[in-house]
Amino acid sequence: MATAPDPTESPASPGKTPRTARGRATLRRLLDAAAAEFGERGFHEASVSGITRRAGTALGSFYTYFDSKDAIFSALVRDMSQGVAKAAAASLTPGSSGVRREREALTGFLAFARQHKELYRIIDEAEFADPVAYRGHYEGTAARIRARFDDSVAAGTMTPGDNEVRAWAVMGMNVFLGLRFGVWAHDRDIEDIAAAAEALLRDGLQGGD
Amino acid sequence: MATAPDPTESPASPGKTPRTARGRATLRRLLDAAAAEFGERGFHEASVSGITRRAGTALGSFYTYFDSKDAIFSALVRDMSQGVAKAAAASLTPGSSGVRREREALTGFLAFARQHKELYRIIDEAEFADPVAYRGHYEGTAARIRARFDDSVAAGTMTPGDNEVRAWAVMGMNVFLGLRFGVWAHDRDIEDIAAAAEALLRDGLQGGD
Amino acid sequence: MATAPDPTESPASPGKTPRTARGRATLRRLLDAAAAEFGERGFHEASVSGITRRAGTALGSFYTYFDSKDAIFSALVRDMSQGVAKAAAASLTPGSSGVRREREALTGFLAFARQHKELYRIIDEAEFADPVAYRGHYEGTAARIRARFDDSVAAGTMTPGDNEVRAWAVMGMNVFLGLRFGVWAHDRDIEDIAAAAEALLRDGLQGGD
Amino acid sequence: MATAPDPTESPASPGKTPRTARGRATLRRLLDAAAAEFGERGFHEASVSGITRRAGTALGSFYTYFDSKDAIFSALVRDMSQGVAKAAAASLTPGSSGVRREREALTGFLAFARQHKELYRIIDEAEFADPVAYRGHYEGTAARIRARFDDSVAAGTMTPGDNEVRAWAVMGMNVFLGLRFGVWAHDRDIEDIAAAAEALLRDGLQGGD
DNA sequence: CATGAATGAGAGTTCATTCAT
DNA sequence: TATGAATGAACTCTCATTCAT
């Protein structure tokens, strides 16, 4: 499977840091296996033994690296959340602003969603399994979008307006475009989607002459 | 709790229809209890015994009316889905069109979300507990939005464009505005939110001046 | 289904005798339904609600006629047991004796088994559900066979021998021929089976020159 | 209780093979406990918790070794079935044939039945709990008897005849003699029973002078 | 560090029986 | 006498977690 952006080095990761190279390898196998297991079956249907079976380790070894099923799930949620943020950030052209920049962020996000199909199932189930992380993920994302908007308004590339509402609206737009066109089906080209979204954000639904 | 739009009469309801008035009362109590239980605890944490405890019936009575925990959850998801659709439809002014109509739909939805805090937890967990209903809910909602857009374009109240993408984008916008301003906090007035969203849809982010 | 030899009149039947014609009809429907249900599903898999569903009565009505699931099963076992005895007795030619008479009894039994496929499943499960009736059935059957043997020896149509052992041996023979050729498959004609059994009883396995 | 012929090594045994000596010991305790529990209470009255209580393990440990209550029951039925076949085979004198050989087989079977009182309750309830194994048991046994008969006829120690019917008849004889004189009561000596049965098979009921 | 057996609380579900109407 | 809703004990099975080796 596609490996999520390196969780073994992230500060959000497990409390039990392995000391040997062998240990680090096992940890990585467990994390990859967990992403697959949680992505396929959801948090509650997923089982620790399913994770260790995929990872090829003994059941007991799991607890050498994680305190609980919740702990590895949390680690994964936070990594996914970071992964999304990084993917969006990485796709921005230095110096871009306004609607153009939003398009770039969306493009990066769509590409990330296509690579990480388990993204939605992991984030979404966090609503139940790790509500704090769930809320943190969306509030953090909205805050970053909002910061871009504030910046764009200051730069004159965006009309002043209710940036808080705008940020949540645009985040919702991105999330659902990612679900429909990134995860559920690939019947449309990413650039098409991004172009349509950009047009919507630029001109609204009845502008654009 | 606020009672969901009458599930006892809906065709999507259980296969075991009560024949007496007493039976109908028990069924209703179970459905209300289930909405509360699932809303508070989520599908997996919810228990049948929790539902019957809230409903004040014996555990076994649950199975007089539903085949399984899954069955009552499905019934609830479908009712919620219908409830959302009805609330949005009911809030439309006859003859309204274009961006104005979308604002009305959003207003209706936000009001519904504020009344039915369990809405998100039930629909969202359907992703795992009843994927068919989950997908059906969003595809159905998107289709209704898209139909409004097609109509508006025909009526000249909306610029032609990629209505499929637009519909998913607007649905996502609505969903996240509902989550943030309908469920998580009431720090903003519904009409404020609706006005900001309407402005976004009317003029985009850099138009309007 | 083929109705077992009239249980509504037997002294072995239920403790709650109906007083009206309507009641007697309901009782009969319940008994027929029970024979079918127990025969198809076995005692433990059978359910009272399955019986009343087949009988077309309300669940509660069952307890108007029988004290318990065990009670109706016992009634059925005793009836079946009587039915077998009667069928064997009825097939005897007056005045017949010795091996010839055993053949007649077997023929009657095989015919009965073919008509009452539920026979084995009901008697056999009595081993667990009503051990007293089970043991009574086989001890009674063996006693009747043994009485015939004693009579035949006295009449000079059978060599003296260990009639107790002989009776159990011949009963076992009959039971398994009934299972194999009466219930499991009809690939052989009843008279063929009876002739082969008679030959075995007459000459043994190495006599007969 | 008497331990059944080693099921831990049989190929018919569970899918979850223990890897450690401790595991093998637990598996054996569970199998012995299951034979006792099923023998005393029958399949349906038996409970998994009853088995683990007898075995002195935790309830959950049962599922380390067997997938279900059905699975351990099937394993037991198949072992019992093998045990019977082996006991009969082991009691044969090399080179014996005809009626004499049948006597030896019966003797072995009676001894086995006396040692394994649970035999009948386990095989018999298989009619309901594992019909395939039940039918397989009797068809297999009949086939072995029939093969002996065919061989004896070829060897000239048995008169030609309907060996299929004969085999089922003799099996039934053995089964019921085992029930009456092996399990229900020990009021008669095994050799007495065997002698009477041999006489029956040798001379029939009216021959022999 | 790795292993895999052991644990037991807890869940969903069934169904014989009772009871109010 | 008939009805069908109500009851709750009992059961099978799951699985996160612990622990001895």
Side-chain angles (χ1 to χ4, degrees), chain C residues 13 24 45 70 101 114 123 141 155 157 159 167-169 173 175 192 207:
Chain C
S13 277
R24 270 189 300 278
E45 293 302 313
D70 284 273
R101 181 161 59 182
R114 287 201 172 178
I123 297 288
T141 304
T157 54
T159 313
W168 283 83
M173 194 180 90
V175 167
D192 269 15

Side-chain angles (χ1 to χ4, degrees), chain C residues 7-199:
Chain C
T8 52
E9 292 174 357
S10 125
S13 277
K16 301 175 169 180
T17 318
R19 309 221 167 277
T20 69
R22 185 193 184 192
R24 270 189 300 278
T26 304
L27 171 57
R28 159 148 304 280
R29 292 215 311 282
L30 285 170
L31 280 162
D32 286 350
E37 174 85 358
F38 286 130
E40 272 177 37
R41 317 225 284 144
F43 178 77
H44 282 98
E45 293 302 313
S47 68
V48 173
S49 79
I51 293 171
T52 55
R53 202 178 311 117
R54 285 175 201 258
T57 73
L59 177 53
S61 301
F62 178 89
Y63 291 89
T64 305
Y65 298 98
F66 297 95
D67 284 331
S68 65
K69 183 185 172 187
D70 284 273
I72 196 175
F73 184 73
S74 278
L76 229 39
V77 170
R78 284 162 220 271
D79 278 324
M80 276 290 164
S81 186
Q82 281 185 27
V84 172
K86 281 183 191 162
S91 65
L92 301 186
T93 302
S96 74
S97 182
V99 163
R100 182 76 202 163
R101 181 161 59 182
E102 295 314 307
R103 177 194 177 142
E104 291 170 356
L106 172 58
T107 306
F109 175 67
L110 290 174
F112 184 84
R114 287 201 172 178
Q115 263 172 53
H116 300 280
K117 298 249 183 265
E118 71 277 22
L119 171 64
Y120 280 78
R121 290 181 63 92
I122 289 178
I123 297 288
D124 288 357
E125 193 130 36
E127 179 174 358
F128 306 93
D130 187 351
V132 171
Y134 179 73
R135 201 156 164 157
H137 170 68
Y138 284 122
E139 286 177 343
T141 304
R144 283 193 303 277
I145 296 175
R146 196 212 152 120
R148 291 200 302 261
F149 287 0
D150 289 346
D151 170 78
S152 295
V153 168
T157 54
M158 197 177 280
T159 313
D162 190 331
N163 282 350
E164 181 69 9
V165 172
R166 282 170 161 180
W168 283 83
V170 168
M171 176 168 65
M173 194 180 90
N174 292 347
V175 167
F176 273 73
L177 293 176
L179 178 65
R180 168 63 181 78
F181 299 105
V183 174
W184 281 357
H186 292 184
D187 54 337
R188 298 283 300 271
D189 195 70
I190 284 185
E191 288 303 328
D192 269 15
I193 311 300
E198 185 188 355

Side-chain angles (χ1 to χ4, degrees), chain B residues 35-83:
Chain B
E37 174 84 358
F38 286 130
E40 273 178 35
R41 317 226 282 143
F43 179 77
H44 282 98
E45 293 303 312
S47 69
V48 173
S49 74
I51 293 172
T52 55
R53 201 177 313 117
R54 285 173 200 259
T57 72
L59 177 53
S61 298
F62 177 88
Y63 293 92
T64 304
Y65 299 99
F66 297 95
D67 284 330
S68 64
K69 183 183 171 186
D70 283 275
I72 196 175
F73 184 73
S74 277
L76 230 39
V77 170
R78 286 162 217 269
D79 276 325
M80 277 290 165
S81 186
Q82 280 186 28

Side-chain angles (χ1 to χ4, degrees), chain B:
Chain B
M1 56 152 291
T3 295
D6 198 356
T8 52
E9 291 174 359
S10 125
S13 278
K16 302 172 170 182
T17 318
R19 305 200 184 293
T20 69
R22 188 189 182 194
R24 272 188 297 279
T26 304
L27 171 55
R28 161 150 300 281
R29 291 213 312 283
L30 285 169
L31 281 162
D32 287 349
E37 174 84 358
F38 286 130
E40 273 178 35
R41 317 226 282 143
F43 179 77
H44 282 98
E45 293 303 312
S47 69
V48 173
S49 74
I51 293 172
T52 55
R53 201 177 313 117
R54 285 173 200 259
T57 72
L59 177 53
S61 298
F62 177 88
Y63 293 92
T64 304
Y65 299 99
F66 297 95
D67 284 330
S68 64
K69 183 183 171 186
D70 283 275
I72 196 175
F73 184 73
S74 277
L76 230 39
V77 170
R78 286 162 217 269
D79 276 325
M80 277 290 165
S81 186
Q82 280 186 28
V84 171
K86 281 183 190 162
S91 65
L92 300 186
T93 301
S96 75
S97 183
V99 162
R100 182 76 202 164
R101 182 161 57 182
E102 294 313 308
R103 177 193 178 142
E104 292 170 355
L106 172 58
T107 306
F109 174 69
L110 289 174
F112 185 85
R114 287 203 171 176
Q115 263 172 52
H116 300 280
K117 299 249 180 262
E118 72 278 20
L119 171 64
Y120 281 77
R121 290 182 64 89
I122 289 177
I123 297 288
D124 288 356
E125 193 130 37
E127 179 174 358
F128 305 93
D130 188 351
V132 170
Y134 179 72
R135 202 155 165 157
H137 170 69
Y138 284 122
E139 288 177 342
T141 304
R144 285 193 301 276
I145 297 175
R146 198 215 150 116
R148 292 201 301 260
F149 289 0
D150 289 346
D151 169 78
S152 295
V153 169
T157 54
M158 198 177 279
T159 312
D162 190 330
N163 282 349
E164 180 69 10
V165 171
R166 282 170 161 180
W168 283 83
V170 168
M171 175 167 66
M173 193 180 90
N174 291 347
V175 167
F176 273 74
L177 293 177
L179 177 65
R180 168 64 181 78
F181 299 105
V183 174
W184 281 356
H186 292 186
D187 54 338
R188 298 283 300 271
D189 193 71
I190 283 184
E191 288 304 327
D192 269 15
I193 310 300
E198 184 187 357
L200 171 60
L201 292 184
R202 180 181 312 275
D203 306 314
L205 291 168
Q206 53 179 67
D209 66 298

Side-chain angles (χ1 to χ4, degrees), chain A residues 33-170:
Chain A
E37 173 85 359
F38 287 130
E40 272 177 36
R41 316 226 286 143
F43 178 76
H44 281 99
E45 293 303 312
S47 68
V48 174
S49 79
I51 293 171
T52 55
R53 200 176 315 117
R54 286 174 200 259
T57 72
L59 177 54
S61 300
F62 178 89
Y63 291 89
T64 305
Y65 297 97
F66 297 95
D67 284 330
S68 65
K69 183 184 170 185
D70 283 273
I72 195 174
F73 184 73
S74 277
L76 228 41
V77 170
R78 284 161 220 272
D79 278 323
M80 275 291 162
S81 186
Q82 281 186 26
V84 171
K86 281 183 189 162
S91 65
L92 301 185
T93 303
S96 75
S97 183
V99 162
R100 183 78 202 162
R101 181 160 59 180
E102 295 314 308
R103 176 193 179 142
E104 291 170 356
L106 173 58
T107 305
F109 174 69
L110 289 174
F112 184 83
R114 288 203 171 177
Q115 263 171 54
H116 300 281
K117 298 248 182 264
E118 71 279 20
L119 171 64
Y120 281 77
R121 292 183 61 91
I122 288 177
I123 297 288
D124 288 356
E125 192 130 36
E127 179 175 357
F128 306 93
D130 188 349
V132 171
Y134 178 73
R135 201 158 166 153
H137 169 69
Y138 284 122
E139 287 177 343
T141 304
R144 285 193 302 277
I145 296 175
R146 195 212 153 116
R148 291 201 301 262
F149 288 180
D150 289 346
D151 169 78
S152 294
V153 170
T157 54
M158 198 177 280
T159 314
D162 190 331
N163 281 350
E164 180 71 7
V165 171
R166 282 171 161 178
W168 283 83
V170 168

